[in-house]
Structures are given as C-alpha cells and as structure tokens.
Amino acid sequence: MKDHILIVDDNQEIIELLEDILENEGFQVSSAENGEDALALLSQGERPNLILLDIMMPNMSGYELCSQIRREWDLPILFLSAKSKAVDKVVGFEIGADDYITKPFDTEELLARIRAHLRRYERIRKHTEEQPEKDASGSPITVLKFKDLEIHKETYSVYVNNQKIELSTKEFQLLTFLAENAGIVFTREQIYDRVWGYGSLNTVTVHIKNLREKLETERQFIKTQWGTGYVFIGEKL
C-alpha cells in the first residue's frame, strides 16, 4: 500500500510542485489549501501517513492547525515554511512538529526526511503492537507508576499528584521513553534517534524544557547529566 501524504499550503504552485515530486516517488497525495479544509478531511476519516504543513496561511496558521491535529491524531507533521528564523523553528517543535524544513527546499533532502519519519512512526507502531512491555506475570504494562507520577500509555494520559497534565504527543512519547528506561543516561542523539529520527537535535532540548515546566514542582523527574545527556530518576512503585 502506498504511503499517503497530505499537503496543506495556501500556495497552489507549491502544492502542484510537491504533488509532482511525491507522486513521481510513488506516494499517494492529497492536498488542502487551508487549515479548515485539512481538519475537515481528517474529521471525515482521511488518514494520511504524514502531513506537510505550511505556517503562513489565512484564518488558521500552520501553528494553530498543528496544535489541533496533535489533540486527536498521532502522525508525523513536517513544517515546510519560508520562515527560517530559529525562533520559528522552536515554536514549531514546541507545539508538536516532528521536523521543520525551510523554503526553498532541496528535493532529495525533503524526500529523505519524509522517508525517515515514515520509517520511525512505523517502527513505533510495530513496537507498540507487537512488543508491549510486560510485568512479572507476563501481562502487558499499560500504566507506569512512580512516586507522584503516573503515565497511562493506552490513553496518552499523565498525572502528577493525581492532577492530569496536558502534554503534546511528542512530549508524551519522550516522557514514556525516558520513564521506561529509568536510571539510564541517554545523549541527545540517542533520544532523538529513538523518539524523532531526523532533523534538529535542538528539539530534544526544547521538549525536555517543556516537560520539566509541566511536570516538575518540588520533585525533579528528568535530570541533566552534564556533559552526557538526560536521565529519568522517578521512584518506581
């Protein structure tokens, strides 16, 4: 089955260019010229494997659309934008984008990043479906419990001191990865390879910062190991 790419851009010339590139590489392609139309397609049941998303669109920006998509669907979102400042990229990663590519783009690099994200999401899906973490009795573990923290893997829910914390999909995946490997120090490169797969390592730093701000009060769950990386230090129950 062909991987399906949804292009969301208000520039018809860009849409046509991307359609030609992607269809020539064997992808199934659909498009929307604004955020409202993209949400309508998703709500009607269209399920792309990846979204290429512009930022500067009328009525609903790419940032707003990304935030709304992340509340309901888990799929790779790649910003493809003329906005090239570092702050624009940071904002994109903070709201849940998987990657950020600036226009004008190199065709081969764009295709390489698309394929990398599709492979990574497929690996995550297979790992979740085929190799669930199990307890001593052999039953799948769906809730990770630590002192003051619970992570509910099936519902993507997180609770700190019994209070629900709202996390983006990427923040949840990052937290779950670190919590499942509590006590192990990971470099930014290792974290990015396991949770993202391609793009800028700065997104790891941004998401760690966001997680700390949302999760931590007097208790610290994610510790910086200076010169190495990060480690989850929650007390498992």
Side-chain angles (χ1 to χ4, degrees):
M1 182 181 296
K2 294 181 179 180
D3 283 315
H4 177 192
I5 311 294
L6 172 61
I7 303 165
V8 186
D9 198 305
D10 64 333
N11 187 323
Q12 187 59 38
E13 291 184 1
I14 293 292
I15 288 179
E16 291 175 1
L17 172 63
L18 289 169
E19 285 176 339
D20 287 342
I21 291 171
L22 296 170
E23 288 173 353
N24 286 338
E25 293 297 317
F27 293 106
Q28 176 187 346
V29 183
S30 59
S31 64
E33 294 187 8
N34 54 65
E36 293 86 348
D37 289 348
L39 284 176
L41 288 174
L42 294 171
S43 298
Q44 291 164 10
E46 186 155 331
R47 288 295 176 268
N49 300 98
L50 180 145
I51 296 177
L52 289 177
L53 178 56
D54 186 29
I55 291 176
M56 296 181 290
M57 296 186 295
N59 300 324
M60 181 186 294
S61 71
Y63 293 143
E64 294 173 287
L65 177 59
C66 181
S67 294
Q68 291 203 37
I69 291 172
R70 279 287 174 251
R71 294 185 192 123
E72 297 189 49
W73 297 284
D74 183 23
L75 70 166
I77 299 176
L78 280 64
F79 276 125
L80 190 59
S81 174
K83 295 170 72 69
S84 59
K85 293 183 179 179
V87 65
D88 299 315
K89 297 180 181 181
V90 169
V91 171
F93 289 131
E94 283 184 335
I95 62 175
D98 293 271
D99 209 343
Y100 194 111
I101 305 167
T102 55
K103 301 174 185 176
F105 55 85
D106 178 81
T107 299
E108 293 305 315
E109 180 182 2
L110 173 64
L111 290 170
R113 293 195 185 200
I114 288 172
R115 292 188 179 108
H117 286 292
L118 289 171
R119 288 195 299 268
R120 183 179 59 79
Y121 264 71
E122 181 64 14
R123 288 198 303 270
I124 292 172
R125 185 190 65 78
K126 287 184 177 179
H127 179 78
T128 302
E129 292 179 356
E130 299 174 9
Q131 301 178 42
E133 188 180 5
K134 297 181 179 181
D135 60 21
S137 67
S139 301
I141 296 175
T142 59
V143 180
L144 301 175
K145 294 185 178 182
F146 301 88
K147 185 177 181 181
D148 302 330
L149 173 69
E150 286 191 6
I151 302 170
H152 295 245
K153 295 165 65 175
E154 289 188 337
T155 59
Y156 272 50
S157 302
V158 173
Y159 297 85
V160 174
N161 294 322
N162 297 317
Q163 297 294 315
K164 187 174 182 180
I165 307 299
E166 296 297 332
L167 300 181
S168 70
T169 301
K170 273 293 165 290
E171 289 166 353
F172 181 87
Q173 291 172 344
L174 172 59
L175 175 63
T176 301
F177 167 69
L178 292 174
E180 287 179 335
N181 296 279
I184 300 175
V185 178
F186 291 97
T187 65
R188 285 198 309 163
E189 290 83 359
Q190 290 171 325
I191 293 171
Y192 196 84
D193 181 64
R194 294 291 294 274
V195 181
W196 281 269
Y198 201 98
S200 170
L201 289 176
N202 288 334
T203 192
V204 175
T205 306
V206 170
H207 280 74
I208 292 287
K209 174 178 175 291
N210 291 344
L211 275 176
R212 283 173 168 165
E213 290 177 351
K214 292 182 178 182
L215 298 180
E216 298 173 358
T217 52
E218 72 282 353
R219 174 175 292 278
Q220 183 184 54
F221 295 107
I222 302 172
K223 179 181 178 182
T224 299
Q225 194 79 12
W226 295 109
T228 307
Y230 303 98
V231 58
F232 184 89
I233 56 172
E235 183 181 336
K236 198 164 188 178
L237 300 180

